Amino acid sequence: MKNESKEEMIAELKSSPFKLIFLAVVAFAGLAALFAKAFPEPEFIDLTYDGMMKEIYLSEMTTAQQSQKKKELAGKYVRWKGYVVDVEMQNYGYLVRIGDDSSAMTDVFLIGVDEASALDLKAGQQIFYSGEIDQFQDGMLTGYVHLRDVSIQ
């Protein structure tokens, strides 16, 4: 193997379109791999709101076990449907209150919804949405789920 200068290596690459294309493909693949690691796909769980409430609040778990389960679920993503109860402006975007059914009782809070999506919603409208579980707030019998990084379909 002979030692080539930087200029000779660049000249060699420029003289062969195949080598140049190969180098570009390798570089692109490397960048794609780095990008995938930096922005991993969200982890969606297959659990309805009712199923989640039964699993946490309506089971025979102790308070400590409930807290542990909430920690395990925080950061996971869900895809649910519900009914718009209300929309209000916050400092960080819009807060959308969602009911699991059409009874106008809030079960889920969508945090930081963009203005265009929020202002397009109507009270009582059924929507499909997804988001990351941010936190749980205890209620009387069950609890409320706060979602961030929300997408409304």
Short mmCIF file of all heavy atoms in Angstrom, two decimals, residues 26-82:
data_model
loop_
_atom_site.label_atom_id
_atom_site.label_comp_id
_atom_site.label_asym_id
_atom_site.label_seq_id
_atom_site.Cartn_x
_atom_site.Cartn_y
_atom_site.Cartn_z
N VAL A 26 -22.02 5.60 1.47
CA VAL A 26 -21.50 5.24 2.79
C VAL A 26 -21.67 6.40 3.77
O VAL A 26 -22.10 6.21 4.91
CB VAL A 26 -20.02 4.80 2.69
CG1 VAL A 26 -19.38 4.67 4.06
CG2 VAL A 26 -19.91 3.48 1.93
N ALA A 27 -21.38 7.61 3.33
CA ALA A 27 -21.52 8.78 4.19
C ALA A 27 -22.99 8.99 4.56
O ALA A 27 -23.32 9.28 5.72
CB ALA A 27 -20.96 10.02 3.50
N PHE A 28 -23.89 8.86 3.58
CA PHE A 28 -25.32 9.03 3.84
C PHE A 28 -25.82 7.99 4.83
O PHE A 28 -26.58 8.29 5.74
CB PHE A 28 -26.11 8.95 2.53
CG PHE A 28 -27.57 9.10 2.72
CD1 PHE A 28 -28.14 10.35 2.97
CD2 PHE A 28 -28.41 7.99 2.68
CE1 PHE A 28 -29.49 10.49 3.16
CE2 PHE A 28 -29.77 8.12 2.87
CZ PHE A 28 -30.32 9.38 3.12
N ALA A 29 -25.40 6.73 4.66
CA ALA A 29 -25.81 5.66 5.58
C ALA A 29 -25.33 5.94 7.00
O ALA A 29 -26.05 5.72 7.97
CB ALA A 29 -25.30 4.32 5.08
N GLY A 30 -24.11 6.42 7.12
CA GLY A 30 -23.58 6.77 8.44
C GLY A 30 -24.37 7.89 9.10
O GLY A 30 -24.70 7.82 10.29
N LEU A 31 -24.71 8.92 8.33
CA LEU A 31 -25.51 10.02 8.87
C LEU A 31 -26.91 9.56 9.25
O LEU A 31 -27.46 9.98 10.27
CB LEU A 31 -25.58 11.17 7.86
CG LEU A 31 -24.29 11.97 7.68
CD1 LEU A 31 -24.46 12.99 6.55
CD2 LEU A 31 -23.91 12.68 8.97
N ALA A 32 -27.50 8.69 8.43
CA ALA A 32 -28.83 8.17 8.73
C ALA A 32 -28.82 7.37 10.03
O ALA A 32 -29.74 7.47 10.84
CB ALA A 32 -29.33 7.31 7.57
N ALA A 33 -27.78 6.58 10.25
CA ALA A 33 -27.67 5.80 11.49
C ALA A 33 -27.53 6.72 12.70
O ALA A 33 -28.14 6.48 13.74
CB ALA A 33 -26.49 4.84 11.40
N LEU A 34 -26.74 7.77 12.57
CA LEU A 34 -26.58 8.73 13.67
C LEU A 34 -27.90 9.44 13.96
O LEU A 34 -28.27 9.64 15.10
CB LEU A 34 -25.50 9.76 13.34
CG LEU A 34 -24.07 9.28 13.42
CD1 LEU A 34 -23.11 10.36 12.93
CD2 LEU A 34 -23.71 8.89 14.84
N PHE A 35 -28.61 9.82 12.92
CA PHE A 35 -29.89 10.50 13.07
C PHE A 35 -30.90 9.59 13.76
O PHE A 35 -31.65 10.03 14.64
CB PHE A 35 -30.41 10.94 11.70
CG PHE A 35 -31.66 11.75 11.76
CD1 PHE A 35 -31.61 13.09 12.12
CD2 PHE A 35 -32.89 11.18 11.46
CE1 PHE A 35 -32.76 13.85 12.18
CE2 PHE A 35 -34.05 11.93 11.52
CZ PHE A 35 -33.99 13.27 11.88
N ALA A 36 -30.94 8.33 13.39
CA ALA A 36 -31.88 7.38 14.00
C ALA A 36 -31.61 7.21 15.49
O ALA A 36 -32.53 7.08 16.28
CB ALA A 36 -31.81 6.04 13.28
N LYS A 37 -30.33 7.20 15.88
CA LYS A 37 -29.99 7.08 17.30
C LYS A 37 -30.34 8.35 18.06
O LYS A 37 -30.75 8.30 19.20
CB LYS A 37 -28.51 6.77 17.47
CG LYS A 37 -28.15 5.35 17.18
CD LYS A 37 -26.69 5.10 17.49
CE LYS A 37 -26.34 3.66 17.22
NZ LYS A 37 -24.94 3.37 17.54
N ALA A 38 -30.18 9.50 17.42
CA ALA A 38 -30.45 10.77 18.08
C ALA A 38 -31.95 11.01 18.26
O ALA A 38 -32.37 11.65 19.20
CB ALA A 38 -29.83 11.92 17.30
N PHE A 39 -32.76 10.48 17.35
CA PHE A 39 -34.21 10.68 17.39
C PHE A 39 -34.91 9.33 17.28
O PHE A 39 -35.44 8.98 16.23
CB PHE A 39 -34.66 11.60 16.25
CG PHE A 39 -34.01 12.95 16.29
CD1 PHE A 39 -32.94 13.25 15.47
CD2 PHE A 39 -34.45 13.92 17.18
CE1 PHE A 39 -32.33 14.50 15.51
CE2 PHE A 39 -33.86 15.16 17.23
CZ PHE A 39 -32.80 15.46 16.40
N PRO A 40 -34.93 8.57 18.38
CA PRO A 40 -35.54 7.24 18.31
C PRO A 40 -37.05 7.34 18.12
O PRO A 40 -37.68 8.33 18.50
CB PRO A 40 -35.19 6.62 19.66
CG PRO A 40 -34.94 7.77 20.56
CD PRO A 40 -34.41 8.88 19.70
N GLU A 41 -37.63 6.29 17.55
CA GLU A 41 -39.08 6.22 17.38
C GLU A 41 -39.74 6.14 18.75
O GLU A 41 -39.24 5.47 19.64
CB GLU A 41 -39.45 4.97 16.57
CG GLU A 41 -39.13 5.08 15.10
CD GLU A 41 -40.01 6.09 14.39
OE1 GLU A 41 -41.24 6.09 14.61
OE2 GLU A 41 -39.47 6.89 13.62
N PRO A 42 -40.87 6.81 18.92
CA PRO A 42 -41.56 6.72 20.21
C PRO A 42 -42.06 5.30 20.46
O PRO A 42 -42.41 4.58 19.52
CB PRO A 42 -42.74 7.69 20.07
CG PRO A 42 -42.75 8.20 18.70
CD PRO A 42 -41.54 7.70 17.99
N GLU A 43 -42.11 4.92 21.73
CA GLU A 43 -42.58 3.60 22.12
C GLU A 43 -44.06 3.69 22.47
O GLU A 43 -44.43 4.23 23.51
CB GLU A 43 -41.78 3.08 23.32
CG GLU A 43 -42.20 1.71 23.77
CD GLU A 43 -41.45 1.24 25.00
OE1 GLU A 43 -40.41 1.81 25.33
OE2 GLU A 43 -41.93 0.29 25.63
N PHE A 44 -44.93 3.19 21.58
CA PHE A 44 -46.37 3.21 21.82
C PHE A 44 -46.77 1.96 22.61
O PHE A 44 -46.24 0.88 22.36
CB PHE A 44 -47.15 3.24 20.50
CG PHE A 44 -47.18 4.61 19.88
CD1 PHE A 44 -46.21 5.00 18.98
CD2 PHE A 44 -48.18 5.51 20.21
CE1 PHE A 44 -46.23 6.26 18.40
CE2 PHE A 44 -48.22 6.78 19.64
CZ PHE A 44 -47.24 7.15 18.73
N ILE A 45 -47.70 2.14 23.53
CA ILE A 45 -48.23 1.01 24.28
C ILE A 45 -49.67 0.78 23.85
O ILE A 45 -50.37 1.72 23.49
CB ILE A 45 -48.12 1.22 25.81
CG1 ILE A 45 -48.81 2.52 26.24
CG2 ILE A 45 -46.67 1.20 26.25
CD1 ILE A 45 -48.87 2.70 27.74
N ASP A 46 -50.07 -0.45 23.87
CA ASP A 46 -51.42 -0.83 23.44
C ASP A 46 -52.31 -0.95 24.68
O ASP A 46 -52.57 -2.05 25.17
CB ASP A 46 -51.38 -2.14 22.66
CG ASP A 46 -52.71 -2.49 22.04
OD1 ASP A 46 -53.50 -1.56 21.77
OD2 ASP A 46 -52.97 -3.68 21.82
N LEU A 47 -52.74 0.19 25.19
CA LEU A 47 -53.53 0.24 26.40
C LEU A 47 -54.51 1.39 26.28
O LEU A 47 -54.10 2.53 26.01
CB LEU A 47 -52.60 0.44 27.61
CG LEU A 47 -53.14 0.20 29.01
CD1 LEU A 47 -53.65 -1.23 29.16
CD2 LEU A 47 -52.05 0.45 30.03
N THR A 48 -55.80 1.12 26.44
CA THR A 48 -56.79 2.18 26.38
C THR A 48 -56.77 2.99 27.67
O THR A 48 -56.17 2.57 28.67
CB THR A 48 -58.21 1.59 26.21
OG1 THR A 48 -58.54 0.83 27.38
CG2 THR A 48 -58.30 0.72 24.97
N TYR A 49 -57.44 4.14 27.64
CA TYR A 49 -57.54 4.95 28.86
C TYR A 49 -58.22 4.12 29.96
O TYR A 49 -57.72 4.06 31.09
CB TYR A 49 -58.33 6.24 28.59
CG TYR A 49 -58.64 6.99 29.86
CD1 TYR A 49 -57.68 7.81 30.46
CD2 TYR A 49 -59.88 6.86 30.49
CE1 TYR A 49 -57.95 8.46 31.64
CE2 TYR A 49 -60.15 7.51 31.67
CZ TYR A 49 -59.19 8.31 32.25
OH TYR A 49 -59.45 8.97 33.42
N ASP A 50 -59.35 3.48 29.64
CA ASP A 50 -60.06 2.68 30.64
C ASP A 50 -59.18 1.55 31.16
O ASP A 50 -59.14 1.28 32.37
CB ASP A 50 -61.35 2.10 30.05
CG ASP A 50 -62.45 3.14 29.93
OD1 ASP A 50 -62.41 4.17 30.64
OD2 ASP A 50 -63.37 2.91 29.12
N GLY A 51 -58.47 0.89 30.25
CA GLY A 51 -57.58 -0.19 30.65
C GLY A 51 -56.48 0.30 31.59
O GLY A 51 -56.12 -0.37 32.56
N MET A 52 -55.95 1.49 31.29
CA MET A 52 -54.90 2.06 32.13
C MET A 52 -55.43 2.39 33.52
O MET A 52 -54.78 2.12 34.53
CB MET A 52 -54.33 3.31 31.46
CG MET A 52 -53.13 3.89 32.16
SD MET A 52 -52.45 5.32 31.28
CE MET A 52 -51.73 4.52 29.86
N MET A 53 -56.63 2.95 33.58
CA MET A 53 -57.21 3.30 34.87
C MET A 53 -57.51 2.05 35.69
O MET A 53 -57.26 2.02 36.91
CB MET A 53 -58.49 4.13 34.68
CG MET A 53 -58.26 5.50 34.08
SD MET A 53 -57.12 6.55 35.02
CE MET A 53 -55.62 6.49 34.02
N LYS A 54 -58.00 1.00 35.04
CA LYS A 54 -58.26 -0.26 35.74
C LYS A 54 -56.97 -0.85 36.27
O LYS A 54 -56.91 -1.36 37.39
CB LYS A 54 -58.96 -1.26 34.81
CG LYS A 54 -60.41 -0.93 34.57
CD LYS A 54 -61.04 -1.89 33.57
CE LYS A 54 -62.46 -1.44 33.24
NZ LYS A 54 -63.03 -2.19 32.14
N GLU A 55 -55.93 -0.79 35.45
CA GLU A 55 -54.64 -1.38 35.82
C GLU A 55 -54.01 -0.64 37.00
O GLU A 55 -53.39 -1.26 37.86
CB GLU A 55 -53.71 -1.34 34.60
CG GLU A 55 -52.51 -2.23 34.74
CD GLU A 55 -51.72 -2.32 33.45
OE1 GLU A 55 -52.30 -2.69 32.42
OE2 GLU A 55 -50.51 -2.02 33.49
N ILE A 56 -54.18 0.68 37.03
CA ILE A 56 -53.53 1.46 38.09
C ILE A 56 -54.43 1.63 39.31
O ILE A 56 -54.06 1.29 40.43
CB ILE A 56 -53.12 2.86 37.58
CG1 ILE A 56 -52.08 2.73 36.47
CG2 ILE A 56 -52.59 3.72 38.71
CD1 ILE A 56 -51.75 4.04 35.78
N TYR A 57 -55.62 2.17 39.09
CA TYR A 57 -56.45 2.61 40.20
C TYR A 57 -57.48 1.58 40.67
O TYR A 57 -57.86 1.59 41.83
CB TYR A 57 -57.18 3.91 39.84
CG TYR A 57 -56.24 5.07 39.65
CD1 TYR A 57 -55.87 5.49 38.38
CD2 TYR A 57 -55.73 5.76 40.75
CE1 TYR A 57 -55.01 6.57 38.21
CE2 TYR A 57 -54.87 6.83 40.58
CZ TYR A 57 -54.52 7.23 39.31
OH TYR A 57 -53.66 8.29 39.14
N LEU A 58 -57.98 0.76 39.78
CA LEU A 58 -59.08 -0.13 40.14
C LEU A 58 -58.60 -1.56 40.34
O LEU A 58 -59.37 -2.51 40.22
CB LEU A 58 -60.17 -0.06 39.06
CG LEU A 58 -60.73 1.34 38.81
CD1 LEU A 58 -61.73 1.33 37.68
CD2 LEU A 58 -61.33 1.93 40.07
N SER A 59 -57.33 -1.71 40.63
CA SER A 59 -56.76 -3.02 40.92
C SER A 59 -56.50 -3.08 42.43
O SER A 59 -56.86 -2.19 43.17
CB SER A 59 -55.46 -3.21 40.14
OG SER A 59 -54.50 -2.27 40.58
N GLU A 60 -55.88 -4.12 42.85
CA GLU A 60 -55.58 -4.25 44.29
C GLU A 60 -54.17 -3.79 44.62
O GLU A 60 -53.57 -4.25 45.59
CB GLU A 60 -55.81 -5.71 44.71
CG GLU A 60 -57.27 -6.12 44.58
CD GLU A 60 -57.53 -7.54 45.03
OE1 GLU A 60 -56.59 -8.23 45.49
OE2 GLU A 60 -58.67 -7.97 44.90
N MET A 61 -53.64 -2.86 43.81
CA MET A 61 -52.28 -2.34 44.05
C MET A 61 -52.26 -1.45 45.28
O MET A 61 -53.22 -0.72 45.55
CB MET A 61 -51.80 -1.51 42.86
CG MET A 61 -51.42 -2.28 41.66
SD MET A 61 -50.70 -1.11 40.45
CE MET A 61 -50.44 -2.17 39.09
N THR A 62 -51.13 -1.48 45.96
CA THR A 62 -50.91 -0.52 47.05
C THR A 62 -50.55 0.83 46.43
O THR A 62 -50.27 0.93 45.23
CB THR A 62 -49.76 -0.98 47.96
OG1 THR A 62 -48.54 -0.96 47.18
CG2 THR A 62 -50.00 -2.37 48.52
N THR A 63 -50.53 1.85 47.25
CA THR A 63 -50.16 3.18 46.76
C THR A 63 -48.74 3.17 46.20
O THR A 63 -48.47 3.79 45.16
CB THR A 63 -50.28 4.22 47.90
OG1 THR A 63 -51.63 4.18 48.40
CG2 THR A 63 -49.97 5.62 47.42
N ALA A 64 -47.84 2.47 46.84
CA ALA A 64 -46.45 2.38 46.36
C ALA A 64 -46.40 1.67 45.00
O ALA A 64 -45.66 2.09 44.10
CB ALA A 64 -45.58 1.65 47.37
N GLN A 65 -47.19 0.62 44.84
CA GLN A 65 -47.22 -0.10 43.57
C GLN A 65 -47.84 0.76 42.47
O GLN A 65 -47.38 0.74 41.33
CB GLN A 65 -48.01 -1.41 43.72
CG GLN A 65 -47.30 -2.44 44.57
CD GLN A 65 -48.20 -3.59 44.97
OE1 GLN A 65 -49.41 -3.45 45.09
NE2 GLN A 65 -47.59 -4.75 45.19
N GLN A 66 -48.86 1.54 42.82
CA GLN A 66 -49.46 2.46 41.85
C GLN A 66 -48.43 3.49 41.39
O GLN A 66 -48.32 3.78 40.20
CB GLN A 66 -50.67 3.18 42.45
CG GLN A 66 -51.88 2.32 42.61
CD GLN A 66 -53.04 3.07 43.27
OE1 GLN A 66 -52.89 4.20 43.73
NE2 GLN A 66 -54.19 2.42 43.33
N SER A 67 -47.68 4.03 42.33
CA SER A 67 -46.65 5.01 41.99
C SER A 67 -45.61 4.41 41.06
O SER A 67 -45.18 5.06 40.10
CB SER A 67 -45.96 5.54 43.25
OG SER A 67 -46.87 6.26 44.03
N GLN A 68 -45.20 3.19 41.33
CA GLN A 68 -44.22 2.51 40.48
C GLN A 68 -44.78 2.30 39.08
O GLN A 68 -44.09 2.51 38.08
CB GLN A 68 -43.80 1.17 41.10
CG GLN A 68 -42.76 0.43 40.31
CD GLN A 68 -41.46 1.21 40.16
OE1 GLN A 68 -41.05 1.94 41.05
NE2 GLN A 68 -40.83 1.08 39.01
N LYS A 69 -46.03 1.89 38.98
CA LYS A 69 -46.66 1.65 37.68
C LYS A 69 -46.74 2.96 36.89
O LYS A 69 -46.48 2.98 35.68
CB LYS A 69 -48.06 1.05 37.87
CG LYS A 69 -48.72 0.67 36.58
CD LYS A 69 -47.95 -0.47 35.91
CE LYS A 69 -48.64 -0.94 34.67
NZ LYS A 69 -47.86 -1.97 33.98
N LYS A 70 -47.08 4.06 37.54
CA LYS A 70 -47.14 5.36 36.87
C LYS A 70 -45.77 5.76 36.35
O LYS A 70 -45.65 6.29 35.23
CB LYS A 70 -47.66 6.44 37.83
CG LYS A 70 -49.11 6.28 38.20
CD LYS A 70 -49.47 7.36 39.21
CE LYS A 70 -50.65 6.97 40.04
NZ LYS A 70 -50.91 7.96 41.10
N LYS A 71 -44.72 5.50 37.12
CA LYS A 71 -43.35 5.80 36.67
C LYS A 71 -42.99 4.98 35.43
O LYS A 71 -42.33 5.47 34.52
CB LYS A 71 -42.34 5.53 37.78
CG LYS A 71 -42.33 6.55 38.88
CD LYS A 71 -41.30 6.19 39.94
CE LYS A 71 -41.40 7.11 41.13
NZ LYS A 71 -40.51 6.69 42.23
N GLU A 72 -43.41 3.72 35.41
CA GLU A 72 -43.13 2.85 34.26
C GLU A 72 -43.85 3.34 33.01
O GLU A 72 -43.32 3.24 31.90
CB GLU A 72 -43.58 1.42 34.56
CG GLU A 72 -42.75 0.70 35.60
CD GLU A 72 -43.36 -0.63 36.03
OE1 GLU A 72 -44.32 -1.11 35.37
OE2 GLU A 72 -42.89 -1.18 37.03
N LEU A 73 -45.05 3.88 33.16
CA LEU A 73 -45.84 4.33 32.01
C LEU A 73 -45.43 5.73 31.53
O LEU A 73 -45.60 6.04 30.35
CB LEU A 73 -47.33 4.32 32.36
CG LEU A 73 -47.94 2.93 32.55
CD1 LEU A 73 -49.36 3.05 33.11
CD2 LEU A 73 -47.94 2.16 31.24
N ALA A 74 -44.90 6.54 32.42
CA ALA A 74 -44.47 7.89 32.02
C ALA A 74 -43.39 7.79 30.95
O ALA A 74 -42.47 6.98 31.04
CB ALA A 74 -43.95 8.67 33.23
N GLY A 75 -43.55 8.60 29.90
CA GLY A 75 -42.60 8.57 28.79
C GLY A 75 -43.03 7.67 27.65
O GLY A 75 -42.47 7.73 26.56
N LYS A 76 -44.02 6.82 27.88
CA LYS A 76 -44.55 5.96 26.82
C LYS A 76 -45.58 6.76 26.03
O LYS A 76 -46.15 7.74 26.50
CB LYS A 76 -45.23 4.72 27.41
CG LYS A 76 -44.34 3.88 28.31
CD LYS A 76 -43.34 3.10 27.52
CE LYS A 76 -42.67 2.02 28.30
NZ LYS A 76 -41.61 2.37 29.17
N TYR A 77 -45.85 6.34 24.81
CA TYR A 77 -46.81 7.02 23.93
C TYR A 77 -48.09 6.19 23.82
O TYR A 77 -48.04 4.96 23.84
CB TYR A 77 -46.22 7.22 22.54
CG TYR A 77 -45.26 8.39 22.46
CD1 TYR A 77 -43.99 8.30 23.00
CD2 TYR A 77 -45.64 9.58 21.85
CE1 TYR A 77 -43.11 9.37 22.93
CE2 TYR A 77 -44.76 10.65 21.77
CZ TYR A 77 -43.50 10.54 22.32
OH TYR A 77 -42.64 11.60 22.24
N VAL A 78 -49.22 6.90 23.71
CA VAL A 78 -50.51 6.26 23.53
C VAL A 78 -51.21 6.84 22.31
O VAL A 78 -50.94 7.98 21.91
CB VAL A 78 -51.41 6.41 24.77
CG1 VAL A 78 -50.85 5.65 25.95
CG2 VAL A 78 -51.61 7.88 25.12
N ARG A 79 -52.11 6.06 21.72
CA ARG A 79 -53.01 6.51 20.65
C ARG A 79 -54.42 6.24 21.13
O ARG A 79 -54.80 5.08 21.32
CB ARG A 79 -52.77 5.71 19.36
CG ARG A 79 -51.50 6.03 18.66
CD ARG A 79 -51.43 5.24 17.32
NE ARG A 79 -50.17 5.43 16.69
CZ ARG A 79 -49.17 4.54 16.70
NH1 ARG A 79 -49.30 3.39 17.31
NH2 ARG A 79 -48.03 4.80 16.09
N TRP A 80 -55.17 7.31 21.33
CA TRP A 80 -56.52 7.17 21.87
C TRP A 80 -57.50 8.01 21.07
O TRP A 80 -57.12 8.84 20.25
CB TRP A 80 -56.56 7.65 23.33
CG TRP A 80 -55.85 6.76 24.30
CD1 TRP A 80 -55.55 5.44 24.16
CD2 TRP A 80 -55.36 7.14 25.59
NE1 TRP A 80 -54.90 4.97 25.28
CE2 TRP A 80 -54.77 5.99 26.18
CE3 TRP A 80 -55.36 8.32 26.32
CZ2 TRP A 80 -54.21 5.99 27.44
CZ3 TRP A 80 -54.80 8.32 27.59
CH2 TRP A 80 -54.23 7.17 28.14
N LYS A 81 -58.78 7.81 21.36
CA LYS A 81 -59.82 8.68 20.84
C LYS A 81 -60.61 9.20 22.02
O LYS A 81 -60.65 8.57 23.09
CB LYS A 81 -60.72 7.95 19.84
CG LYS A 81 -61.61 6.89 20.44
CD LYS A 81 -62.50 6.29 19.39
CE LYS A 81 -63.36 5.20 20.04
NZ LYS A 81 -64.31 4.64 19.09
N GLY A 82 -61.19 10.37 21.84
CA GLY A 82 -61.96 10.97 22.92
C GLY A 82 -62.76 12.14 22.40
O GLY A 82 -62.80 12.40 21.19
#
